[in-house]
C-alpha cells in the first residue's frame, strides 16, 4: 500500500483565480484529511513532496521546507493560476519554511493558518484570522492513546525474544513447563511493556514530576507492587528485589521513548533527562541481573 | 500547552531584542505561545514552554532568534549518538 500522493497542484471544488491556496504534505493521510475538511469549498491544494511524511516530521527534516515550497510553486506555475500572492501553510510546517525567503524567491506571501486541518474551514470563514484556539496544541487522552502502538510495536522486537527466553529459563530451571509456573512470567513481561508504553503515556499529566523517565518508573513500581502482592506466597526475596529493579527500569525507558510522540518535549530537555536517567536504568538492570544470578547459586 | 510543561530552565532559545523589528512572525509560528509583542518588540513570555522546534528562528527575517533546534525524542537522540560512535549508519531522528 502506498502512502504517497503525487506532489503538485490539486483543485478542491471549482477554484478560480481568487481561491485560496492551502499547502500540505504528500503523506496520504495529511492530504485526505485536508481534502475532506475542505470538501464543499473551492480551494487550491498545493501538495509538497515530503516523501510520504507528515507535515510536522517533514518540517523537522526540512523536506517540508523553503526550497520545496519554492520548487513546487514554480513547477506548478501557480503565479499564472491564481491572481493573489498568498499561501496558507499549517503552523506545524513553520520549522522548515522561512516565510520571508519564500516571499523573496517567489513573490508569494506565506501565512501560517492553523495547527489542525479541521480548523481550516473556520479559519477561512473568519477572514483568514486564526483564533488562539486554532494556534493551541492539544494532547488529549485520545491523542496520547492513538500514539501508543508506535512504542508497543517497536518494543515487540526485544520484548518477545526476552519473554520467550525467560519462559524457557523458568521452564528449564526445574519448575517444568506448566501454565501455573509460566503464566506469571508472561504476565510480568507483558505488563511491564504496557506499563511504560501505554499506561504512563495515558496518565501523563497526572503522574507526579516532569521527567518522562520518572513517570514511567512510577508506573513500573506500581506494577511491581501489584505483581508482588499477587504472588505474595510464591515469591522469594531475591525475585521481589528483581521485580522492583527491572520492571521500573524497563518501564522508565519505554516512557522516555514516548517523548518522541509528544508535541511539547524539547531536545535539550530530553538530552538532560537521558544523561541523568539512562545510567540509573542500566545500573538497576545490572543489579537485577547480579541478584538473579546470585539467587540461582545460593 | 495547558497541563503539559516539560523540564524547567533547559530551553536554548535566545532572543536579541536589539535586533528585533517587532514583525510578530515568532508570535504567529510558535505552537506554544512562548512569545508576546511588548512595546513593538518580541518578548519571551514562557521559556519553559519552548520545545525547540526552531520555527521562530527560521522565520525571523532579521535573525534575532537562536535556538538549538531539533527533535525532542529519546530514540532519535540515541540513534544520533550511535551514529556518532559509528555503530549505526543513519543519524536521523525518529519520525
Amino acid at each position: 500500500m502506498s502512502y504517497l500522493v503525487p506532489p503538485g497542484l490539486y483543485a478542491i471544488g471549482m477554484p478560480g483565480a481568487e481561491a485560496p491556496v492551502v499547502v500540505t504534505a504528500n503523506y496520504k493521510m495529511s492530504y485526505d484529511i485536508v481534502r475532506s475538511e475542505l470538501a464543499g469549498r473551492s480551494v487550491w491544494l498545493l501538495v509538497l513532496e515530503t516523501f510520504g511524511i507528515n507535515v510536522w516530521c517533514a518540517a523537522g527534516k526540512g523536506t517540508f521546507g523553503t526550497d520545496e515550497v519554492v520548487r513546487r510553486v514554480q513547477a506548478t506555475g501557480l503565479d499564472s493560476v491564481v491572481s493573489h500572492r498568498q499561501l496558507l501553510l499549517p503552523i506545524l510546517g513553520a520549522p522548515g519554511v522561512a516565510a520571508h525567503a519564500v516571499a523573496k524567491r517567489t513573490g508569494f506571501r506565506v501565512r501560517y493558518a492553523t495547527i489542525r486541518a479541521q480548523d481550516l474551514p473556520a479559519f477561512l470563514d473568519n477572514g483568514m484570522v486564526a483564533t488562539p484556539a486554532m494556534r493551541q496544541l492539544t494532547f488529549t487522552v485520545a491523542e496520547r492513546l492513538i500514539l501508543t502502538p508506535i512504542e508497543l510495536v517497536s518494543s515487540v522486537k526485544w520484548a518477545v525474544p526476552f519473554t520467550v527466553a525467560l519462559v524457557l529459563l523458568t521452564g528449564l530451571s526445574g519448575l517444568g513447563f506448566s501454565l501455573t509456573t509460566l503464566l506469571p512470567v508472561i504476565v510480568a513481561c507483558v505488563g511491564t511493556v504496557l506499563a511504560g508504553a501505554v499506561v504512563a503515556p495515558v496518565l501523563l499529566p497526572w503522574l507526579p514530576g516532569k521527567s518522562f523517565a520518572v513517570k514511567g518508573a512510577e508506573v513500573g513500581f506500581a506494577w511491581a507492587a501489584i505483581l508482588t502482592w499477587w504472588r505474595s506466597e510464591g515469591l522469594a526475596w531475591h525475585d521481589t528485589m528483581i521485580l522492583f529493579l527491572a520492571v521500573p527500569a524497563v518501564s522508565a525507558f519505554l516512557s522516555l521513548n514516548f517523548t518522541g510522540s509528544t508535541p511539547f518535549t524539547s531536545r535539550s530537555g530530553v538530552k538532560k533527562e537521558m544523561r541523568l536517567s539512562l545510567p540509573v536504568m542500566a545500573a538497576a538492570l545490572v543489579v537485577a541481573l547480579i541478584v538473579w544470578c546470585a539467587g540461582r547459586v545460593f | 500547552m495547558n497541563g503539559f510543561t516539560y523540564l524547567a530552565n533547559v530551553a536554548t532559545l535566545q532572543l536579541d531584542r536589539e535586533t528585533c523589528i517587532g514583525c510578530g512572525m515568532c508570535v504567529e509560528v510558535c505552537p506554544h505561545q512562548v512569545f508576546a509583542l511588548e512595546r513593538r518588540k518580541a518578548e519571551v513570555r514562557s521559556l519553559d514552554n519552548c520545545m525547540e522546534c526552531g520555527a521562530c528562528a527560521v522565520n525571523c527575517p532579521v535573525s534575532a532568534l537562536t535556538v538549538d533546534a531539533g527533535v525532542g525524542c529519546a530514540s532519535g537522540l540515541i540513534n544520533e549518538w550511535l551514529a556518532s560512535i559509528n555503530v549505526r549508519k543513519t543519524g536521523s531522528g525518529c519520525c
Side-chain angles (χ1 to χ4, degrees), chain A residues 36-62:
Chain A
S36 78
E37 292 296 342
L38 294 172
R41 290 163 187 271
S42 290
V43 174
W44 293 107
L45 188 57
L46 186 68
V47 176
L48 303 188
E49 173 65 278
T50 62
F51 307 95
I53 303 293
N54 68 72
V55 170
W56 171 242
C57 291
K61 287 184 200 298

Side-chain angles (χ1 to χ4, degrees), chain B residues 10 13-14 18 26-27 31 44 47-48 50 54-55 61 64 73-74 85 88 93:
Chain B
V10 290
L13 176 69
Q14 281 185 319
E18 293 290 303
C26 51
V27 182
V44 177
L47 182 68
D48 290 342
C50 175
C73 167
I85 57 168
R88 199 172 289 184

Side-chain angles (χ1 to χ4, degrees), chain A residues 271-284:
Chain A
K271 264 187 192 169
K272 181 182 179 186
E273 208 181 330
M274 285 171 66
R275 207 167 48 233
L276 295 173
S277 68
L278 286 180
V280 178
M281 291 175 205

